[in-house]
Every structure is written in C-alpha cells, then in structure tokens.
C-alpha cells in the first residue's frame, strides 16, 4: 500500500513539475504542482517518507522551477509569509478563541523594528551616524522582534483581555488603527517612521554563505541569489513556527487554551489561570507576526503604512477561517489557497477577460441571446475585487462549513 | 458646531448598531456599508433628478426629503436582505460565527457597490451636486453664522430620534421589539413573530443609517464605497461608549464622541505645543474607546447584558 502511494506521489510530483516546466506561464500547472504538498501530507506514509517527499518538493523542485520563472519563487515567498502569519493568528483565534481583528499591528511592529534600524532612518532621531546597521544584525533583530512582539502583545492584552468576544474584537481593531495612524504620522515632531512616504532602503540579510559557494566554484550574482535566499529563510521560519505550534498544541498550555475557548468559566473552575493563558496566547501570536514582519521588511527593502491596513488583518483571518480554526494544516492550506487565489487566479482571470475583450468575439448563448465580449466593462477586473471574493468566502464558509476546510481533529470525537 | 453635527451623525449610525445588538446580541459589522448604501442611493437619485433637468424646478426642501426617503428605504431594505441572507442561517451558532459573516458581508458590499457603480457610471467616486439652499448660512444672533447644511443635519437627526423614540416606546410593534430584545423565546410564546420583528429591527436601524448616509453625502459631497468604514467604526465606538443595546445611550455616545473629536481636531495641536495635530483625532477616538471599555465595560449608560458564553 505504502509503495503504491509512494510511487503515485512520485509520479504526481514529477508530472506536475514537468507541466510547470513546459508551461512556465500557466497558473493551473502551478496550482497543480502546489497541490502535491497537500497529497504528501495526506498520504498514509511513514513520517520519514513524508519528510523525504516534502523536502523533495520544497527544497529541490520549487527552487529549480523558481529559476525557470522567478515569479513562482516570489509567490512561494509570499505564501510562506502568510502561512507564518496565519499560524500566529491561529494560536490566538483558533486555539484560545480570542477574535483578534488587529493582528496586522504586530506584523507592522516587527517590520518597522528592522526598517528603522536597518536603514539610515534611525539617524534621524539618534545622535551619531551608526545606521544602517550592518546586514548581520538582521538575525539579531529577528530574535529581538520575537521579544518585542511578545511585549506588544502583553501590553495590548493586559488591559483588554477582561473583555468578552466581540468587544475584544473591536478593541483589537481599534488598536491596529491606532498603530497604523501612529506609523503614518510619526514623521513629526521627531521623525521616527518617515510617515506615509515609508522607509527605504532597508538592509537585506547577510550573504554569509557566498564564500562557501565560491569554494564550490559557483559564481553567483545577488540578483538571482536573494530570492532563493529569502525563499529558504521563509521555509526555515515556517518550519520553526510549525514545530513550535505543534509542541504548544500538545502541551498543557495548548490544552488550557482550548479549554478556555470551549468554556471560560469551566476552565477557570478547573484551576486554569485564564488571564495568564490568554496573555500568553496573545504574546505567542504577536511574536510570530513580529518575526515575519522583520523578514517582510528585509525582503521588500521598502515599507510604508499601506502594507498594514485592516484589509491585511481580514485577509489573514480569512485564511485561518477558511482552513479551519485551530488546525495547523488548515491554517497552512488556507493561507496557501487565499494567497494563490489573490496573486495568481484573480490576476489570471483579469488577464483572460482582457484578452477576451480585445478579441471582440460575439458569444451566442442559448436563452441569453448573444453577448458581445468587447462590451464587458473595462472596470470589471476580478483582481480589483479581492474584498468581494474574501467577503463571499467568509459568509459562505460561515453558513456552509463553519469549521473550515480542514477542521482540527478533536480527541474523543 | 462641527462637533454637534458630527455627534448627530454618529448618533444616527450608532442607532443601527445598538438596535441590532439589542435584539440579536451581535455586532452588525456591515452596518457601515448599509450607511454608505444610503449615501449612494441618495446621490443616484440626485444625479437622476439633475439629468432630467428638474432640479431647478423643484422645491429644494422637497428634493432633500426625497433623497432622505430614498436613502432610508434603500438602506433599510438592504439591511433586511442582509439579515435574511447572511445572518438568519447562523442564528444560534457560536458568537464569533455571525460576527465573521458580518465582516464578510461588509467587505462584499464595499466591492459590490464599487462594481455596480463602476459598470453604471464608470467611476466609483461620486459627488453630490450642490443645492443653492444648502450653501447658504443662517444668522443666529450676533456674529454667529450657522450653515444650512449643519442645521439640516441637526433638524433631521432630532426629528428622526423623536420618531424612533415614539415608535419604540409608544406603539405595539415597538413594544414587540423591546420584548424580543429582552427575551426572544418568551416573546415568541406571547405570540410575537420573532423573525418578522428582527427583520423589522434591521429595517429601522438600516433606515436610520441610510438617512445618516444621505446627510453625510450632502455635507461632505464626495463619497466612495470605502468611505463608510471609518464613520461606521466610530459610530460603533459611540454605541459602545453609551452602552450598547441602549437607544438613549447611542445618542449620548454619539454626541460625546463627536464633540470630543471636534475638540481634538481643533485643540490637540495647541495643547501639545504643535507636536500632535488634527491627524491624531482618530487615534484619540480609538484610545477613548479602549479606555472606556477598560474602565466601564458596559458603557456610560450601560445595561446589564446577558452573559451567554463567548
């Protein structure tokens, strides 16, 4: 049985990667390829085999395909960033049941942390000219952001965690708006964030392995190296977060979170320190988001407040809900699905509609009469209506399948 | 003056939040879009009147009333439709479920308005035509000039608040609404059709929001599908401030928030020596929300809210 599955998977993976290789512009081929990870996860194989296949796809094939079409690597990085964010929010919303509508605030805090000190920006308000810090500080800040994020989570959590359900949601939303407004306006009296103009250039992480590559006789230029480098950084970060989340989920802390989610009063009666556990959930989620933020700002080189709107918070929430609240594979699947939908399918659909419009074909439908395709209004571009798509997803999921695509397995069910 | 106008505007929108919260105990997150639908229907009627050339012939008072009515009916119906499609199937689900559905509805409606307006007018930024009457101002006593626009907002809001008060407190249907708010199960045992009453509550709350939308459009001229979000959020703040589920509380909260915001906009830079200017008024409003909820989680005029798990 395992052999058949293994061979089948191998066949699927090689077929789909061959498809991507031959049609480097095809969105469908790439989705087909991405689905292979899903099959790897669900195949009834031993853990070692799954690791092997997962590594084959993530470490070998995707970078190779990414070198055929750099866009795929970019998408993979974006997916990774959102997967990490969704996993962080999953802890707060999914495990502890605290609806946080301002998750993006912690992401922004992390991003600005590195942006300010990894660019000449910090010279504006600190004496001397020590900034930008050298690239090797990136890793220090990655670690630092975990603590800063946790601190921000606790600071927000302390006053508001006494609130229940929907009140908490609105207060976190207000908090995110406050953070965004601060970032947007703190270019005076002292120039902390450079306001709406944003910060650039931000240092990228150090290419510490370049001498090693030279040793093997590989001459590389940074332009091709950086995307690959960021890709591997994201993969490592996601793996770390997944491991941490799984460990937490199976620990007494994770069980306490779930108990609080199911019934706060009962949990308190059983001796669970409710407020401390909620604070901890906030802090852990926030620290993941802040770490991802550092990575994001280093990848983008340029950040401004536009990247941290309410829309982002809702996007991440949609990912968690779509995948299934409280489920780690669910959060990963949701983040992948929404990002791919956003970056590839909607854009692809827009391009397709544009080409239809230009072709000027006249479509003859039975019943509806004929439709002149060049008459499709120019404003109708699916890529611009991502909110509509997200909105529909949220409503339909809540009505039809509130537990999400991959709901968590519950003990005792 | 700005503060009072803003306050009444927030009060009208806050009523929609608070009434729905009163009967269903959930935040109708899409109410900000119901509000902006009112503004859009108002501008459409206005533009149609302008296009038909009858704008000059008609009495400006009649035009304003027509716009208000159109906006109210449209928003009320939209709110009812929303309840039917996105909320009724979720009744009895855990509390986060309808809230998330409402957020989805809010996003859907924003882009839906944008899409329809884009197809219909090829742009989704619309401007209210100007009415001569509204651009004037009235002399009140010595050296006090009150713009007609502000008077319009205050008068309409007062009239609608009075009507709502009478409706809720002095009619049979109003009694039914209060009964459902107190206890839907018992109300249904007493022969009240709960679903109809809930739909009606959505209609009335939506209509208030729609009127606020038209007033918003008349006051600020330029509207777009995303313009409802921030006023909606602040109106919700106002509702919470006054004690959610409580109708006089919503009005009080709206007034307090409007006055404070106008105060912050004009005096914040003076108070802080020019360090923080009017751009911090939103920060100020949300900080007030957070502080109020921390120290008085039930709001200024808060009622005891039933505790029913999260």
């Amino acid at each position: 049985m395992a052999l058949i599955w293994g061979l089948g998977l191998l066949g699927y993976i090689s077929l789909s990667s061959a498809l991507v290789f031959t049609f480097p512009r095809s969105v469908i081929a790439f989705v087909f390829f991405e689905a292979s990870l899903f099959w790897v996860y669900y195949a009834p194989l031993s853990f070692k085999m799954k690791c092997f296949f997962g590594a084959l796809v993530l470490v070998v094939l995707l970078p190779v395909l990414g070198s055929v079409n750099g866009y795929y690597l970019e998408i993979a990085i974006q997916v990774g960033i959102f997967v990490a964010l969704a996993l962080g929010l999953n802890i707060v919303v999914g495990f502890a049941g605290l609806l946080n509508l301002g998750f993006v605030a912690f992401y922004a805090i992390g991003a600005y942390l590195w942006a300010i000190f990894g660019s000449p920006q910090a010279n504006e308000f600190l004496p001397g000219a020590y900034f930008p810090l050298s690239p090797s500080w990136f890793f220090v800040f990655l670690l630092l952001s975990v603590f800063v994020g946790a601190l921000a989570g606790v600071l927000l959590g302390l006053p508001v965690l006494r609130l229940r359900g929907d009140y908490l949601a609105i207060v976190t939303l207000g908090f995110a708006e406050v953070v965004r407004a601060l970032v947007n306006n703190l270019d005076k009296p002292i120039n902390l964030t450079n306001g709406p103009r944003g910060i650039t250039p931000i240092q990228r992480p150090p290419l510490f392995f370049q001498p090693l590559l030279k040793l093997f006789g590989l001459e590389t230029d940074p332009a091709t190296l950086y995307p690959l480098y960021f890709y591997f950084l994201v993969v490592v970060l996601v793996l770390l977060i997944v491991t941490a989340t799984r460990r937490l989920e199976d620990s007494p802390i994770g069980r306490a979170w779930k108990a609080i989610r199911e019934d706060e009063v009962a949990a308190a009666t059983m001796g669970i320190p409710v407020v401390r556990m909620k604070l901890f959930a906030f802090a852990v989620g926030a620290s993941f988001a802040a770490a991802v933020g550092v990575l994001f700002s280093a990848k983008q080189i340029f950040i401004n407040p536009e990247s941290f709107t309410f829309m982002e918070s809702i996007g991440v929430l949609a990912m968690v809900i779509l995948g299934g609240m409280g489920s780690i594979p669910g959060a990963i699947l949701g983040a992948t699905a929404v990002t791919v939908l956003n970056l590839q399918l909607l854009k692809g659909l827009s391009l397709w509609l544009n080409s239809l419009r230009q072709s000027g074909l006249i479509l003859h439908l039975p019943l509806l009469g004929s439709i002149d395709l060049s008459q499709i209004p120019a404003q109708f571009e699916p890529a611009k209506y991502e909110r509509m798509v997200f909105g529909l997803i949220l409503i339909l999921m809540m009505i039809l399948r509130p537990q999400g695509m991959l709901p968590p397995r519950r003990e005792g069910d | 003056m700005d503060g009072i106008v803003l306050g009444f505007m927030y009060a009208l929108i806050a009523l929609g939040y608070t009434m729905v919260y009163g009967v269903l105990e959930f935040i109708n997150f899409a109410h900000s879009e119901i509000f902006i639908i009112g503004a859009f229907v108002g501008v459409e009627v206005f533009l149609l009147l302008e296009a038909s050339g009858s704008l000059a012939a008609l009495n400006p008072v009649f035009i304003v009333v027509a716009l208000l009515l159109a906006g109210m009916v449209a928003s009320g119906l939209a709110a009812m439709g929303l309840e039917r499609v996105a909320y009724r199937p979720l009744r009895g689900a855990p509390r986060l479920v309808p809230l998330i559905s409402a957020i989805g509805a809010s996003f859907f409606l924003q882009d839906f308005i944008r899409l329809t307006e884009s197809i219909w007018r090829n742009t989704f930024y619309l401007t209210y035509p100007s009415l001569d009457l509204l651009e004037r101002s009235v002399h009140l006593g010595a050296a006090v000039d009150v713009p007609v626009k502000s008077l319009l907002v205050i008068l309409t809001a007062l009239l609608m608040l009075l009507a709502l008060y009478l409706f809720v407190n002095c009619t049979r249907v109003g009694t039914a609404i209060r009964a459902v708010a107190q206890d839907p199960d018992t109300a249904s045992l007493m022969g009240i059709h709960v679903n109809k009453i809930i739909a009606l509550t959505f209609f009335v709350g939506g209509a208030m929001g729609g009127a606020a939308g038209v007033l918003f459009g008349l006051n600020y001229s330029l509207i777009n599908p995303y313009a409802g979000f921030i006023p909606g959020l602040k109106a919700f703040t106002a509702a919470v401030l006054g004690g959610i589920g409580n109708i006089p509380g919503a009005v009080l909260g709206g007034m307090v928030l409007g006055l404070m915001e106008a105060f912050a906009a004009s005096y914040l830079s003076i108070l802080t020596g020019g360090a923080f200017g009017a751009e911090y008024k939103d920060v100020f409003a949300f900080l007030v929300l957070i502080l109020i909820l921390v120290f008085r989680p039930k709001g200024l005029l808060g009622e005891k809210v039933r505790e029913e798990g999260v």
Side-chain angles (χ1 to χ4, degrees):
Chain A
M1 194 61 196
L3 189 70
I4 299 172
W5 267 97
L7 285 178
L9 267 180
L10 209 59
Y12 182 89
I13 292 171
S14 34
L15 178 70
S16 59
S17 39
L19 273 176
V20 176
F21 203 78
T22 32
F23 306 102
R25 286 179 182 283
S26 163
V27 176
I28 297 159
F30 191 61
V31 172
F32 200 52
F33 174 69
E34 280 163 337
S36 61
L37 276 176
F38 181 77
W39 293 118
V40 170
Y41 182 80
Y42 269 96
L45 293 173
S46 68
F47 184 68
K48 273 185 192 161
M49 286 304 279
K50 283 186 183 181
C51 283
F52 166 73
F53 280 117
L56 180 71
V57 173
L58 281 177
V59 181
V60 182
L61 284 175
L62 227 165
V64 170
L65 292 174
S67 55
V68 177
N69 184 350
Y71 184 58
Y72 288 144
L73 214 51
E74 173 66 26
I75 287 180
I77 296 171
Q78 294 259 6
V79 167
I81 285 179
F82 281 113
V83 164
L85 281 178
L87 284 168
L89 187 62
N90 185 44
I91 289 186
V92 185
V93 179
F95 290 169
L98 306 164
L99 185 55
N100 185 344
L101 291 181
F103 196 62
V104 80
F106 303 118
Y107 181 46
I109 287 172
Y112 268 90
L113 185 70
W114 175 239
I116 289 172
F117 293 102
S119 75
Q121 180 64 26
N123 291 331
E124 300 273 340
F125 58 93
L126 289 178
Y130 302 107
F131 302 99
L133 293 170
S134 80
S136 31
W137 280 86
F138 171 80
F139 293 105
V140 179
F141 269 76
L142 201 57
L143 208 61
L144 191 66
S145 69
V146 172
F147 295 106
V148 173
L151 188 71
V154 171
L155 279 184
L156 171 66
L158 266 181
V160 305
L161 278 179
R162 292 189 307 148
L163 304 171
R164 277 173 176 261
D166 12 10
Y167 282 100
L168 179 73
I170 296 296
V171 171
T172 50
L173 203 175
F175 172 72
E177 286 293 313
V178 168
V179 168
R180 199 172 62 87
L182 284 178
V183 166
N184 211 2
N185 292 316
L186 273 181
D187 47 351
K188 59 187 185 302
I190 37 169
N191 190 352
L192 269 178
T193 63
N194 211 20
R197 278 157 297 162
I199 299 178
T200 193
I202 302 164
Q203 291 276 23
R204 294 195 276 200
L207 292 165
F208 58 87
F209 46 82
Q210 216 170 18
L212 206 70
L213 289 180
K214 267 211 185 96
L215 215 65
F216 287 105
L218 288 167
E219 278 301 324
T220 45
D221 64 315
T224 52
L225 209 51
Y226 268 119
L228 279 171
Y229 184 27
F230 276 114
Y231 170 72
F232 282 111
L233 273 179
V234 166
V235 169
V236 170
L237 190 69
V238 168
L239 284 180
L240 280 178
I241 290 182
V242 169
T243 319
T245 319
R246 285 187 69 130
R247 290 298 197 167
L248 278 171
E249 188 185 6
D250 293 334
S251 74
I253 296 173
R255 279 198 283 271
W257 283 337
K258 288 179 187 169
I260 292 172
R261 175 187 70 195
E262 297 303 328
D263 191 335
E264 203 175 318
V265 179
T269 322
M270 301 313 276
I272 292 172
V274 171
V275 171
R276 206 188 307 158
M277 282 301 155
K278 282 182 171 180
L279 271 182
F280 193 62
F282 249 60
V284 172
S287 59
F288 289 174
V292 184
V294 169
L295 196 68
F296 174 76
S297 70
K299 175 184 121 21
Q300 294 295 95
I301 308 173
F302 164 76
I303 59 166
N304 69 351
E306 287 293 300
S307 317
F308 309 104
T309 55
F310 180 55
M311 183 64 204
E312 297 290 313
S313 289
I314 293 299
V316 179
L317 184 70
M319 293 166 189
V320 174
I321 288 165
L322 193 67
M325 279 191 271
S327 139
I328 297 172
I332 297 174
L333 177 67
T336 313
V338 170
T339 317
V340 169
L341 180 81
N342 239 345
L343 291 178
Q344 294 194 293
L345 293 182
L346 288 183
K347 285 212 177 94
L349 205 59
S350 293
L351 285 176
W352 181 68
L353 271 175
N354 260 332
S355 62
L356 272 187
R357 200 173 294 137
Q358 271 153 21
S359 70
L361 270 176
I362 293 173
L363 207 62
H364 295 285
L365 294 176
L367 297 179
L368 288 173
S370 55
I371 298 170
D372 186 356
L373 287 179
S374 64
Q375 293 298 306
I376 302 172
Q379 292 277 358
F380 188 73
E381 270 186 53
K384 283 186 186 162
Y385 295 97
E386 52 167 6
R387 284 168 187 249
M388 200 155 159
V389 178
F390 277 176
L392 265 185
I393 289 176
L394 288 177
I395 301 177
L396 290 179
M397 281 311 274
M398 283 302 109
I399 294 176
L400 301 175
R401 204 175 155 81
Q403 71 274 35
M405 291 193 290
L406 294 179
R409 260 169 287 170
R410 297 210 175 172
E411 287 121 69
D413 270 6
Chain B
M1 198 65 208
D2 281 351
I4 298 174
V5 171
L6 214 53
F8 273 114
M9 208 92 92
Y10 289 153
L12 278 183
I13 311 171
L15 282 173
Y17 284 106
T18 229
M19 288 184 70
V20 166
Y21 198 91
V23 293
L24 283 184
E25 302 217 337
F26 103 105
I27 299 170
N28 182 9
F29 205 86
H31 190 63
S32 49
E33 277 58 53
I34 299 296
F35 155 75
I36 211 71
I37 283 177
F40 268 92
V41 170
V43 80
E44 283 298 335
V45 173
F46 213 162
L47 288 173
L48 283 180
L49 283 176
E50 195 188 36
S52 68
S54 51
L55 211 54
L58 289 168
N59 186 343
V61 177
F62 170 78
I63 295 178
V64 170
V65 171
L67 294 185
L68 280 171
L69 282 180
M72 284 170 73
V73 170
S75 287
L77 289 179
M80 266 171 81
L82 192 64
E83 191 268 336
R84 185 70 196 83
V85 175
Y87 304 149
R88 193 175 299 176
L90 300 175
R91 216 167 292 152
R95 272 175 95 158
L96 288 188
V97 169
L99 179 64
I100 292 165
S101 174
I103 294 172
S106 158
F107 273 62
F108 176 80
L109 284 176
Q110 284 177 2
D111 266 358
F112 182 75
I113 300 169
R114 172 173 168 180
L115 185 63
T116 25
E117 287 296 342
S118 298
I119 291 173
W120 173 239
R121 297 215 177 258
N122 214 17
T123 171
F124 55 92
Y125 289 92
L126 296 181
T127 318
Y128 270 69
S130 64
L131 269 181
D132 182 42
L133 175 73
L134 291 179
E135 302 306 323
R136 287 189 222 148
S137 31
V138 183
H139 267 306
L140 278 186
V144 184
D145 271 341
V146 183
V148 174
K149 278 179 180 174
S150 312
L151 272 187
L152 173 74
V153 173
I154 295 170
L155 281 181
T156 320
L158 279 178
L159 216 69
M160 297 201 40
L161 292 176
L162 185 70
L164 183 73
Y165 181 81
L166 291 177
F167 173 70
V168 172
N169 286 310
C170 304
T171 61
R172 279 176 66 86
V173 185
T175 316
I177 290 181
R178 281 181 294 140
V180 172
Q182 274 183 5
D183 189 336
D185 294 334
T186 315
S188 99
L189 286 180
M190 298 296 156
I192 293 171
H193 203 312
V194 174
N195 274 344
K196 271 187 193 158
I197 292 297
I198 289 176
L200 182 77
T201 311
F202 268 88
F203 181 84
V204 174
M208 293 281 165
V214 174
L215 293 175
F216 178 85
L218 287 172
N219 250 287
Y220 302 105
S221 307
L222 189 67
I223 54 170
N224 71 63
Y226 309 113
F229 180 67
I230 290 289
L233 205 55
K234 287 192 189 148
F236 176 75
T237 308
V240 174
L241 196 64
I244 195 153
N246 178 321
I247 291 177
V251 180
L252 178 73
M255 294 309 296
V256 170
L257 190 71
L259 286 173
M260 276 198 311
E261 204 183 308
F263 172 80
S266 36
Y267 292 111
L268 213 52
S269 78
I270 303 171
L271 283 179
T272 55
F276 301 104
E279 66 271 16
Y280 282 97
K281 66 179 167 58
D282 289 2
V283 175
F284 190 69
F286 291 124
L287 283 181
V288 166
L289 170 75
I290 295 178
L291 286 180
I292 296 264
L293 280 179
V294 169
F295 291 110
R296 255 191 95 86
K298 303 233 157 65
L300 295 176
L301 299 184
E303 290 174 349
K304 182 95 187 77
V305 177
R306 271 174 288 159
E307 302 252 320
E308 274 187 324
V310 184

